[in-house]
Amino acid sequence: MKLHLNIKQILPLVAFVAIIYSGCKKYDNPPPFFEDPITRSVVQRKVIVISIDGLTGSELKTIAPPTIDGLRKTSKYTYDVLRGAVANDVASWASMLNGVSYAKHLIQSDDFLPTPKPNSHETPAVFRNTFDYILQYKSLKTAIVTPWPNLRNYLRIADFAPVVSTDVAVKDSVINILNTQSQIGALVANFRDVQAAGGNGGYVATNANYKNAVLKADEYVGNIVTAIKARKTYANEDWLIILTTNHGGSSNDPKAGFLIASNKSLKEEELKKSGFNTILFKGSSVIAQVMNDNGLYDPGETKDFTVQMQVKFNVQTSYPGFLSKGTPMLGSAITGWMFRQGGAGVSAAVGGTLNGGTGKVEYNTGNAADLSWHTITMTVKMDNATTRTLTTYLDGVQVTTANILSRKSLSSSEKLTIGYKNVDNGGTSLSFQAADLCYFNTALDAATILANKGLKDITQHPKYANLTGYWPIDEGAEGILNNKAPGGYNMELSGAYTWVAMGKDVPTSVNPDPNAGGKSILLTSASVSASMLYWLNIKILPEFGMDGNPFLNQFEIEFLK
């Protein structure tokens, strides 16, 4: 029950308390001091996302439409948003609105439902969209305005979702909502004419249809910005205007897009990937795997192969596996192969107990865990009917060699994996960065390994035709490690992974970036949702599963007063 007192009731009560209080004091009361009343206005953060579908970052930069270019001058922006593994209309919009990379949400069809992975019996995870979080944590109204019914249905939880069929109707409906709804706090507007125009003559500034559609969309953006500033409550609002695109180009051939996050307090700054950016493989949960290689990386009983990777350990710990295609090493059992760390040393282990071979055997690879970058290599070669030779190398120099024929087949149902693998229940403090994982379907000879240990252009490798897997591990964002070999498969990340900008601390195979000392910020479609929640002061919890970078948190000195 709430107690309501008027001023006449309060004054006698205050006086009574004051008399009692003064009677207990042993010293004189100070003279009364009256301050002028302070009026505090609460400024409410609000956000609008305007997507101009099909507008390529490079062509936006070339056309430089006046309204958008003006907003760029009070923004953090990029003309090079990283595309996901699948970046069609649906997949890109799903990432924009749930903050999750395609590798996780698996949404690519018009029903906005996840598509199960081939040959997988797992039920795909379902991720909540941004409006769902906003409506849970904030007393704000939300709106989606798009001529695309499927997208409108995906955000049907929104408070306002007017049915429109043209871009001009989108503009008019957005302005109407801004003019009439004082509690609107998050709004998504979707223009689609630019993408349609590019289909007639190309998604380039030299195509008059495309350029004119971009300029018309820019005009609509100007109308919307004018409506925001004309709101009766604008003085007590702090708007973040996010201009972006689902992708550049067409849905069938997507190109890099753009993202402009504009606020009156932000200073103009272009965001770019700086230097070498790789994954921090930390603890037991952060791993990257080829989910299904269709036997491509199966070593078998007689196959020749080479595995090579650049690695830098951050701690020295006992016995964790960190690169493998084999079972955990518990006791003497292992089937397949594994690199494992032990203090400052690294060893390669093989065994085929599940395939009728003898137990595990480990071969020294040298002191590769001395907290600096090293190149580790293992080759396996079937020399003849009685000899299958395993050889290890450290920085191109041979360390050990042995006949492993008694291990029989190294085939394993385990996935090709970067990250923790259990070795006798140890090493969960594992922490390392990796780069340039290579898998050749031949056993490289010692001279070739030494001559190419720090090769900066993999296409110049003399055995490039035998390269079936090459993962630079330098994407800087998203949940996919792209395979740049002529054939092969991508790796998928899992666990609470983070991308780390290494600055000038790079492996020998990476060209150092002389300008790598500043911030390295690579934006993706998922950054849109993360930025919306960040701006609205909604804490992004681990259980959200978000991959998006709420990058404005790195510039708070500019807008937090």
Side-chain angles (χ1 to χ4, degrees), residues 70-81:
L71 290 169
R72 181 182 58 80
K73 294 175 182 177
T74 56
S75 80
K76 307 303 176 185
Y77 69 95
T78 180
Y79 292 118
D80 193 18
V81 170

Side-chain angles (χ1 to χ4, degrees), residues 279-519:
I279 287 291
L280 175 62
F281 290 94
K282 187 174 183 180
S284 60
S285 65
V286 179
I287 58 176
Q289 295 179 307
V290 174
M291 303 309 292
N292 182 11
D293 66 7
N294 291 306
L296 185 62
Y297 309 122
D298 174 22
E301 191 168 359
T302 60
K303 291 181 182 178
D304 295 353
F305 66 97
T306 299
V307 180
Q308 180 172 288
M309 189 170 75
Q310 309 266 343
V311 64
K312 178 189 178 184
F313 291 95
N314 303 309
V315 297
Q316 293 182 353
T317 185
S318 298
Y319 308 124
F322 63 89
L323 174 63
S324 62
K325 192 178 190 315
T327 57
M329 292 192 344
L330 302 175
S332 63
I334 176 180
T335 296
W337 60 265
M338 178 190 304
F339 280 101
R340 67 98 175 153
Q341 180 189 5
V346 166
S347 65
V350 295
T353 53
L354 295 182
N355 299 324
T358 52
K360 74 180 180 186
V361 61
E362 297 186 55
Y363 300 102
N364 182 30
T365 310
N367 288 338
D370 62 357
L371 313 185
S372 58
W373 284 102
H374 289 285
T375 304
I376 57 170
T377 311
M378 177 181 71
T379 66
V380 174
K381 181 176 177 58
M382 193 72 187
D383 297 297
N384 51 56
T386 60
T387 307
R388 193 183 192 193
T389 302
L390 179 149
T391 308
T392 64
Y393 300 81
L394 179 63
D395 297 326
V397 178
Q398 182 177 318
V399 180
T400 59
T401 185
N403 183 3
I404 62 168
L405 191 68
S406 64
R407 310 298 150 177
K408 295 191 175 180
S409 175
L410 302 183
S411 294
S412 171
S413 60
E414 295 285 323
K415 300 173 178 65
L416 180 61
T417 301
I418 308 172
Y420 179 82
K421 187 77 71 168
N422 191 9
V423 178
D424 295 335
N425 300 311
T428 55
S429 59
L430 180 69
S431 175
F432 70 97
Q433 280 92 20
D436 285 351
L437 171 60
C438 299
Y439 195 103
F440 295 86
N441 63 6
T442 187
L444 302 180
D445 61 73
T448 299
I449 291 171
L450 181 60
N452 297 279
K453 66 181 178 67
L455 189 65
K456 291 179 169 57
D457 181 359
I458 195 65
T459 65
Q460 299 304 306
H461 198 284
K463 293 294 184 180
Y464 182 70
N466 296 99
L467 188 69
T468 57
Y470 171 57
W471 300 270
I473 320 176
D474 186 24
E475 286 77 4
E478 292 283 327
I480 297 291
L481 303 185
N482 292 298
N483 180 13
K484 300 297 182 66
Y489 302 90
N490 295 334
M491 287 186 147
E492 295 184 16
L493 287 160
S494 60
Y497 58 84
T498 56
W499 289 92
V500 180
M502 299 298 291
K504 298 177 182 178
D505 182 11
V506 298
T508 57
S509 60
V510 174
N511 282 313
D513 181 354
N515 302 313
K519 289 184 174 71

Side-chain angles (χ1 to χ4, degrees), residues 240-308:
L240 177 68
I241 301 173
I242 299 177
L243 294 166
T244 190
T245 181
N246 57 347
H247 54 69
S250 69
S251 187
N252 294 327
D253 185 23
K255 306 296 182 184
F258 69 95
L259 192 152
I260 298 171
S262 176
N263 174 266
K264 60 181 180 291
S265 298
L266 287 174
K267 298 176 183 177
E268 178 183 356
E269 183 174 349
E270 185 172 5
L271 307 180
K272 295 181 179 180
K273 178 175 177 287
S274 173
F276 177 62
N277 293 247
T278 191
I279 287 291
L280 175 62
F281 290 94
K282 187 174 183 180
S284 60
S285 65
V286 179
I287 58 176
Q289 295 179 307
V290 174
M291 303 309 292
N292 182 11
D293 66 7
N294 291 306
L296 185 62
Y297 309 122
D298 174 22
E301 191 168 359
T302 60
K303 291 181 182 178
D304 295 353
F305 66 97
T306 299
V307 180
Q308 180 172 288

Side-chain angles (χ1 to χ4, degrees), residues 106-130:
L106 300 176
I107 297 172
Q108 60 175 310
S109 58
D110 283 349
D111 57 10
F112 277 86
L113 296 175
T115 303
K117 297 178 182 178
N119 304 315
S120 174
H121 300 291
E122 296 181 5
T123 301
V126 176
F127 296 90
R128 298 165 64 186
N129 64 61
T130 310

